[in-house]
Amino acid sequence: RAMHWIAALAITVLVITGLYIGTPFGIAGAGTGATSGLLMSRVRFVHYLAAAFLTATGLVRLYWLFAGNRFERLPALFPIRGRDIRNLFKMAKFYGFMAKQEDTPHYLGHNPLQQLNYTLVYLLATLEVVTGFIMFAKAWPTGTMYKLFYWLTPYFGGIQNVRLIHHSITWFFLIFIPAHVYLSFRGDSVAGGGMVSSIITGGRFFEPQHAYEDETA
């Protein structure tokens, strides 16, 4: 839960500061002189600091992929079993208002649609961090970050493509976050179980009459 909220706060700060860095005050090139330069410097510092926190949560999540419980390890991010592939389409129908709750499979952990969704989020977040580090390295060509990341620039087709990818992924998160919040509340209101409150309390409710697809490993 701590990693979730740290990442959520970091992404929020990154989006706000990143949009400012890309277009200061909503107009490219707005502001001149020492004052505007100092403001940009501070905004960039906050942006880099938030990126460090997001990277830290990513490293913790990477550790859990191998050392966590069975709901956190690598197989839990991919619907690789036959039952999960079938249930993937059932869950898509449920979230698309084309199926009833009683016809929807139940999961203790993430259902197959959530697995694919969060896997996509992790991959895009990784790409966002890497492209961000490449741009960070360009500003300090004598630093360690330059040696670690700037050599990747040609693989993206140049620094302008790096910026474009970095900016585009920002808009993915701007779409994902409200969708994530909405679907979480909708799923909780329809299925119950305290899914939304669990991200604060750490506890969920399970119906004993339900058969959970992932109850056994």
Side-chain angles (χ1 to χ4, degrees), residues 46-59:
V46 173
H47 191 76
Y48 298 149
L49 185 61
F53 276 99
L54 181 62
T55 302
T57 63
L59 292 175

Side-chain angles (χ1 to χ4, degrees), residues 104-170:
T104 303
H106 301 278
Y107 280 80
L108 295 172
H110 292 140
N111 65 57
L113 190 60
Q114 291 172 325
Q115 291 174 26
L116 280 184
N117 188 34
Y118 294 143
T119 299
L120 175 62
V121 169
Y122 295 147
L123 291 176
L124 288 178
T126 301
L127 185 58
E128 183 81 332
V129 169
V130 170
T131 53
F133 283 166
I134 291 174
M135 291 188 291
F136 179 88
K138 181 176 175 59
W140 284 272
T142 59
T144 303
M145 295 291 285
Y146 188 90
K147 298 177 182 178
L148 290 175
F149 290 98
Y150 201 73
W151 63 272
L152 293 168
T153 305
Y155 294 96
F156 290 96
I159 193 65
Q160 290 300 336
N161 283 342
V162 170
R163 291 192 179 99
L164 177 61
I165 293 170
H166 192 77
H167 184 76
S168 298
I169 296 175
T170 299

